[in-house]
Amino acid sequence: MFALLAIGMPLGFASAFLAVVTLMLKFDASLLFGDFGRGPLSVLGQAVYRQMTNYVLISVPLFIFMAALLERSGIARDMYSSLNVWLSRTRGGIAIVTSIMAVIMAAMSGIIGGEVVLLGLIALPQMLRLGYDRNLAIGTICASGSLGTMIPPSIVLIFYGLVTETSIKALFTASFLPGFMLATFFILYIVIRTRMNHSLAPLPPAEPGDPDGSDKGLMFLGFLSKFTLWAAGVLFARAVFFTLTGANAVREGQDPIPLGMVTDIPWIIGTFAFALILIQFVVGRERTSKGWEMGKGLIAPIIVIGVVLGSIYGGITGITEAAGMGVVAVFVIGLVRREMTFDIVWDSLMRTLLSTGTIIWVTIGAAALAAAYTLVGGPTYVANLIVGAELPTMGIILVMMVVFLIMGMFMDWVGIVLLIMPVFLPIVVRLPAEEIGFLGHVDPRYIPIWFGVVFCMNMQVSFLSPPFGPAAFYLKSVAPPDISLTDIFRGFLPFIALQLCALSVLLIWPPIITIFL
């Protein structure tokens, strides 16, 4: 595989080629090709067909299309401007804003490449102009831009769920806390480093009329209060509609509608009244109005996140339908803002076609190789080899982590999840659950979910790992000419250490993934 990749063969074709070679080594070539449509070769076709006809796979191009629309429209730029208003006078504020924006972008689409490019276009010039340390700026953009691997709706988690037949909704729920933990590590690192060394992030000059800290805090509270008023009003109308139509009637064996039951109405009214009291007697109407103007760029992203994740966790739709609803939400918001032109839609479709085509070809090749490898007994051989080594349970897990990290340096995550997961996951499931982790243990039924989150954390590292860390090449495509790939990889080092710390937390304390489950 490494030899074929080294001579420039695309991963999808290299995998498919190796699949046929693997079968030829095991079976006679005449048996392989003599009875076309039956025999060992047909197993590859069945594996590819099964993978390509999985309904959830449709969500991948939809999420990519949504990310492309977000990147080309002004929604992301306005979000960055609004976040920057609140943190402009904070040491390292622009780097913190970049990390927060990356978290919001990840929660909207879960696409990594588009986030790094967008942050490189918006945040990098501003940080360099204000004299931020180059390594800090580069590392923040690429590490934060790759958070889409961990934070739902992550496409890596979707593929893992497809390959291992694990609940994707459960994977999203389990990865929520680890993803935000990693983002918190990045923000804390920025805060501590810039406090220790002020030269890394000079404060920008104060703008005339810029409110002081306490006044700005009250304005932000006013913005949140006004948004709460709108949200409570919408939820109240929704609950009343469900009540009048009888849709929220309590029925045995049927889950209650989240925030849509009759018992929820008093709480919604109470929230509305509390927000109104804050505006009238704490913040003031004038400050609330100014706060709304300063923060209104955050409204569109919050709506998109609410549509995508709200429809999934609210039990309204599945993953695929939520992706489609997210695309419609972004498109409608773009139309309302008068930013959605034919050129933007066409360019976004072309980008989606190119990205999806690459993923599909890798999926086809990797599915074929995984099927051939299984047919010749490869997974059983590797499982017996690892188990026969008589390593302790965590020793086996650590060996797998090393394999993931090494392969992540050279291969795309799609190929890794399709090639390695059918081999490793059956081994992990057979390990004694009480021996996994050092502080607490994971429930045996959640082991596939825990391993999926651990795998995604490994892939988070792979996006920054030289020599083929994709995030470096994404940023290089939009960075100034004087920033070399060596400079970019040098900026990654502290953030790779933070990612490994987060991975260690998942290995030491596995129950972190079951908190929301």
Side-chain angles (χ1 to χ4, degrees):
M1 176 69 76
F2 288 146
L4 291 173
L5 294 177
I7 63 174
M9 182 177 286
L11 178 60
F13 297 116
S15 303
F17 173 76
L18 283 176
V20 177
V21 170
T22 301
L23 291 182
M24 290 181 67
L25 291 172
K26 179 70 174 179
F27 303 101
D28 182 67
S30 60
L31 174 65
L32 200 61
F33 296 103
D35 193 7
F36 192 77
R38 288 180 288 190
L41 196 62
S42 66
V43 175
L44 305 191
Q46 293 169 11
V48 171
Y49 181 80
R50 187 167 54 250
Q51 200 70 44
M52 289 297 100
T53 53
N54 195 313
Y55 180 64
V56 180
L57 192 64
I58 302 171
S59 65
V60 174
L62 288 171
F63 278 126
I64 294 174
F65 184 44
M66 181 166 59
L69 288 176
L70 285 169
E71 182 185 341
R72 291 297 310 278
S73 67
I75 295 173
R77 292 180 184 274
D78 287 352
M79 176 174 63
Y80 184 84
S81 300
S82 292
L83 288 171
N84 196 32
V85 165
W86 305 114
L87 294 169
S88 59
R89 301 299 301 160
T90 304
R91 180 73 63 180
I94 298 177
I96 297 171
V97 165
T98 302
S99 296
I100 295 173
M101 180 177 173
V103 172
I104 297 173
M105 291 286 292
M108 283 194 286
S109 64
I111 306 297
I112 294 91
E115 285 183 41
V116 175
V117 170
L118 186 63
L119 293 173
L121 289 169
I122 297 175
L124 184 60
Q126 192 166 354
M127 283 196 272
L128 295 179
R129 178 178 60 82
L130 292 174
Y132 273 57
D133 177 73
R134 180 180 288 186
N135 288 341
L136 178 67
I138 290 170
T140 300
I141 288 171
C142 291
S144 302
S146 59
L147 283 170
T149 308
M150 286 296 302
I151 296 175
S154 162
I155 288 189
V156 182
L157 286 171
I158 291 174
F159 262 84
Y160 175 87
L162 287 175
V163 172
T164 62
E165 298 181 353
T166 305
S167 167
I168 297 174
K169 183 179 178 181
L171 286 168
F172 282 2
T173 306
S175 68
F176 218 86
L177 191 57
F180 282 97
M181 175 188 70
L182 182 58
T184 304
F185 283 2
F186 293 161
I187 293 173
L188 288 176
Y189 169 76
I190 294 166
V191 171
I192 294 170
R193 278 294 306 278
T194 55
R195 292 294 187 281
M196 293 174 61
N197 186 351
H198 290 182
S199 65
L200 295 177
L203 281 174
E207 297 287 337
D210 196 21
D212 59 23
S214 59
D215 209 32
K216 190 179 284 188
L218 284 173
M219 287 180 180
F220 185 64
L221 181 60
F223 164 76
L224 291 178
S225 300
K226 189 168 182 178
F227 179 77
T228 303
L229 281 181
W230 282 99
V234 171
L235 289 174
F236 176 76
R238 173 174 171 267
V240 169
F241 173 77
F242 286 148
T243 303
L244 293 176
T245 58
N248 60 359
V250 178
R251 296 181 179 89
E252 188 177 349
Q254 185 173 325
D255 292 334
I257 299 173
L259 298 177
M261 306 299 288
V262 176
T263 53
D264 294 325
I265 293 178
W267 292 99
I268 295 172
I269 295 174
T271 303
F272 184 92
F274 181 69
L276 197 59
I277 291 170
L278 285 177
I279 292 173
Q280 292 286 353
F281 301 107
V282 179
V283 180
R285 287 181 175 272
E286 187 177 348
R287 281 201 192 99
T288 300
S289 179
K290 289 181 180 178
W292 184 261
E293 285 300 314
M294 293 163 65
K296 64 183 181 181
L298 298 173
I299 302 301
I302 292 173
I303 291 173
V304 175
I305 293 172
V307 168
V308 176
L309 296 184
S311 58
I312 295 172
Y313 291 114
I316 301 170
T317 66
I319 306 296
T320 303
E321 294 82 0
M325 289 171 65
V327 171
V328 173
V330 173
F331 187 78
V332 170
I333 290 171
L335 288 177
V336 171
R337 293 160 53 101
R338 299 182 180 179
E339 294 172 342
M340 199 58 65
T341 64
F342 177 79
D343 289 339
I344 287 178
V345 175
W346 180 258
D347 183 64
S348 300
L349 285 169
M350 291 301 100
R351 291 186 183 195
T352 303
L353 185 63
L354 289 170
S355 300
T356 306
T358 302
I359 291 174
I360 292 299
W361 276 112
V362 172
T363 303
I364 289 173
L369 180 55
Y373 192 61
T374 303
L375 190 63
V376 302
T380 305
Y381 173 77
V382 173
N384 293 336
L385 192 69
I386 293 176
V387 174
E390 297 184 355
L391 290 170
T393 297
M394 289 309 295
I396 293 173
I397 298 289
L398 290 175
V399 168
M400 293 179 178
M401 297 302 102
V402 172
V403 172
F404 282 145
L405 292 173
I406 292 174
M407 295 199 73
M409 296 167 62
F410 300 99
M411 285 180 63
D412 189 79
W413 61 266
V414 182
I416 297 174
V417 71
L418 289 165
L419 295 174
I420 304 300
M421 214 42 74
V423 179
F424 279 1
L425 186 59
I427 300 172
V428 175
V429 172
R430 286 167 52 190
L431 295 173
E434 64 276 6
E435 295 180 11
I436 295 178
F438 297 102
L439 299 175
H441 306 293
V442 65
D443 190 312
R445 58 201 169 125
Y446 292 141
I447 286 179
I449 298 172
W450 169 78
F451 196 63
V453 176
V454 170
F455 168 74
C456 280
M457 192 67 80
N458 274 279
M459 294 303 99
Q460 177 86 26
V461 180
S462 75
F463 275 96
L464 306 185
S465 301
F468 298 122
F473 296 95
Y474 290 139
L475 183 62
K476 177 62 180 170
S477 66
V478 295
D482 61 312
I483 296 180
S484 65
L485 277 173
T486 306
D487 294 330
I488 294 175
F489 279 120
R490 190 183 298 117
F492 287 173
L493 296 178
F495 292 90
I496 291 176
L498 293 172
Q499 290 171 334
L500 292 175
C501 288
L503 177 61
S504 300
V505 172
L506 295 179
L507 297 175
I508 294 170
W509 186 41
I512 189 175
I513 66 104
T514 63
I515 289 175
F516 291 133
L517 291 175

